Amino acid sequence: MNRPHKASLILTAAAIAATMLSPAAAAAEEGPEPAPEGVCSGGWRSNVYGYKATHIGKGPVYKSGPGGKIRVTSITAETAKTSFTGTAGVTAKFAVAEAKVEISRESATEVSWGTNYQFEHDITRGKYGSTQYGSWGHNATWEKYYELPSCAKSQRTSGAVKIVNTSMGFRYWETSS
């Protein structure tokens, strides 16, 4: 009776061993090991991040009310451009290239529109309706920094960027006054 029991234990141990990985095999399955601390290449880096969809209006804001309907049948020709706040750091071309990869192929350095657009919207009773034409773009944050060989950031500068998009239209909102 001991023999089958021993054989059973040997088979179970062999099955467990077959499912276990050596430390080297386990590391290979998890992917490459991270670079040791202090092995960054260093140098100047630029980055655009934290994209949030927004309407970038340009030109007059049309307002009507209280209540009723707002109608806009013609607007002025305008151009909206990708714009920055903060000190010099990244170019509009760089910010738009990053946005095209990360959020929208329609991102652009500038967009233009002409006249003869039409917009109509019901206004809630007792409220004032407003509308403005513009680009459905994105707000984001830009940064430029020097990466030290220790991977730390030095001499960092940053600011906000509004990236226009070739998708355009009216934004509508209501207020109490």
Side-chain angles (χ1 to χ4, degrees):
M1 256 185 162
N2 276 344
R3 284 186 80 104
H5 187 272
K6 250 186 198 178
S8 163
L9 285 175
I10 291 171
L11 287 174
T12 303
I16 291 172
T19 60
M20 293 178 64
L21 295 173
S22 69
E29 263 193 21
E30 292 174 9
E33 288 193 34
E37 193 170 325
V39 185
C40 288
S41 60
W44 285 102
R45 305 280 183 259
S46 297
N47 189 22
V48 179
Y49 62 93
Y51 298 95
K52 183 179 176 191
T54 189
H55 186 264
I56 302 168
K58 184 80 175 179
V61 173
Y62 301 95
K63 184 175 182 178
S64 188
K69 195 175 282 246
I70 186 169
R71 285 186 192 97
V72 178
T73 56
S74 180
I75 61 169
T76 59
E78 294 284 351
T79 298
K81 296 180 180 183
T82 293
S83 61
F84 296 87
T85 64
T87 60
V90 298
T91 65
K93 187 176 178 179
F94 174 81
V96 168
E98 290 286 302
K100 282 185 177 204
V101 170
E102 295 185 28
I103 54 164
S104 173
R105 291 183 311 190
E106 296 179 344
S107 297
T109 53
E110 83 176 37
V111 292
S112 298
W113 55 87
T115 58
N116 299 323
Y117 289 96
Q118 224 171 17
F119 178 78
E120 186 174 300
H121 199 285
D122 290 330
I123 303 170
T124 304
R125 186 177 178 182
K127 298 280 186 174
Y128 291 85
S130 297
T131 190
Q132 185 180 34
Y133 199 80
S135 167
W136 292 102
H138 291 85
N139 286 331
T141 301
W142 66 265
E143 69 177 345
K144 186 167 186 169
Y145 59 91
Y146 191 82
E147 182 182 69
L148 300 171
S150 67
C151 303
K153 293 179 181 180
S154 176
Q155 302 176 25
R156 184 177 184 269
T157 184
S158 65
V161 58
K162 288 185 177 194
I163 302 170
V164 296
N165 196 308
T166 57
S167 177
M168 296 175 279
F170 283 95
R171 175 180 166 250
Y172 175 80
W173 67 96
E174 292 184 347
T175 58
S176 298
S177 59

